[in-house]
Amino acid sequence: MLDALSLLQQRHSAPSRQLGEPAPDESTLRTLLEAAIRVPDHGKLVPFRLIALRGGAKRTFGAWLAERAITRNPDLPESKREKERLRYTFAPLVMVVVARIDHDSGIPEIEQKLCAGNVAYNILMGAYAMGFGAQWLTGWAAYDQEVAHLLHLAKNESVIGFVHIGTPQGDIPDRDRPALDDLLSEWQR
């Protein structure tokens, strides 16, 4: 296992198309998710929940999404139709991270969504630390009301991301990273 700083310095997403079996077993997944939900949570609202997609259910969900993509855009080129058809066939596990917004709490919605986003990021970090690969994807499906209905989301819930998890099926090169000096400034009055 990597130490925390090395983990941050080395973590990178593994494209979902390059993820295969095995996924974390039940015990490992439970350990990963128990760690992932340890996030900053203003007001202790727990403004998130998780949905696991795997096996036949994952493939059924993916097939339905492909049909929905074509319904949304009948002019979708064949190459994009194929991409939609295959999207959920690679990684053996997809965790849907859902934000649950408590509009009566007084805690700003953005803070609640960031809390849920931290869960998704912790899943990425934890999967990498455990030797798995993961990719956090959103795309049109994260914002589609029919998809929300299919996932049985309540009116106060929305998809933060679909985190695809599996074992990298080859070397995953890192991408270029921004230079800190281009991003850091010092505030002065």
Side-chain angles (χ1 to χ4, degrees):
M1 226 198 265
L2 296 170
D3 68 74
L5 188 56
S6 294
L7 176 63
L8 288 170
Q9 291 170 327
Q10 296 175 28
R11 192 222 61 89
H12 59 274
S13 293
S16 63
R17 290 176 172 264
Q18 295 180 27
L19 296 173
E21 294 286 353
D25 62 30
E26 286 305 311
S27 174
T28 303
L29 180 60
R30 185 167 188 83
T31 299
L32 169 61
L33 297 179
E34 285 174 343
I37 63 174
R38 294 179 60 96
V39 293
D41 181 3
H42 186 185
K44 300 178 188 171
L45 299 176
V46 190
F48 54 83
R49 68 184 180 97
L50 303 167
I51 302 168
L53 301 172
R54 54 186 143 196
K58 177 184 64 85
R59 288 186 293 280
T60 299
F61 180 78
W64 186 90
L65 282 185
E67 289 176 22
R68 175 74 180 134
I70 294 166
T71 300
R72 284 172 46 104
N73 183 3
D75 297 326
L76 198 64
E78 184 54 38
S79 62
K80 292 197 177 186
R81 289 175 186 228
E82 185 68 8
K83 183 178 180 180
E84 292 293 344
R85 281 192 282 272
L86 294 175
R87 186 179 305 274
Y88 285 82
T89 63
F90 301 104
L93 172 65
V94 178
M95 294 302 306
V96 184
V97 180
V98 176
R100 294 187 311 186
I101 305 304
D102 182 342
H103 295 288
D104 298 324
S105 70
I107 306 299
E109 182 175 331
I110 186 68
E111 291 187 26
Q112 295 180 61
K113 284 187 175 180
L114 287 169
C115 179
N118 280 322
V119 172
Y121 186 67
N122 279 356
I123 293 171
L124 286 177
M125 295 295 288
Y128 185 74
M130 294 173 133
F132 294 97
Q135 186 177 29
W136 175 356
L137 298 171
T138 52
W140 65 269
Y143 311 104
D144 185 90
Q145 289 304 307
E146 292 297 319
V147 174
H149 179 73
L150 181 66
L151 289 168
H152 308 291
L153 301 188
K155 289 185 190 273
N156 68 324
E157 294 182 323
S158 61
V159 173
I160 290 296
F162 301 95
V163 183
H164 298 243
I165 304 169
T167 299
Q169 303 298 295
D171 291 333
I172 309 292
D174 199 7
R175 65 173 176 82
D176 290 337
R177 302 295 173 166
L180 178 60
D181 290 339
D182 295 340
L183 304 171
L184 179 63
S185 63
E186 186 91 17
W187 182 84
Q188 297 178 8
R189 188 167 176 190

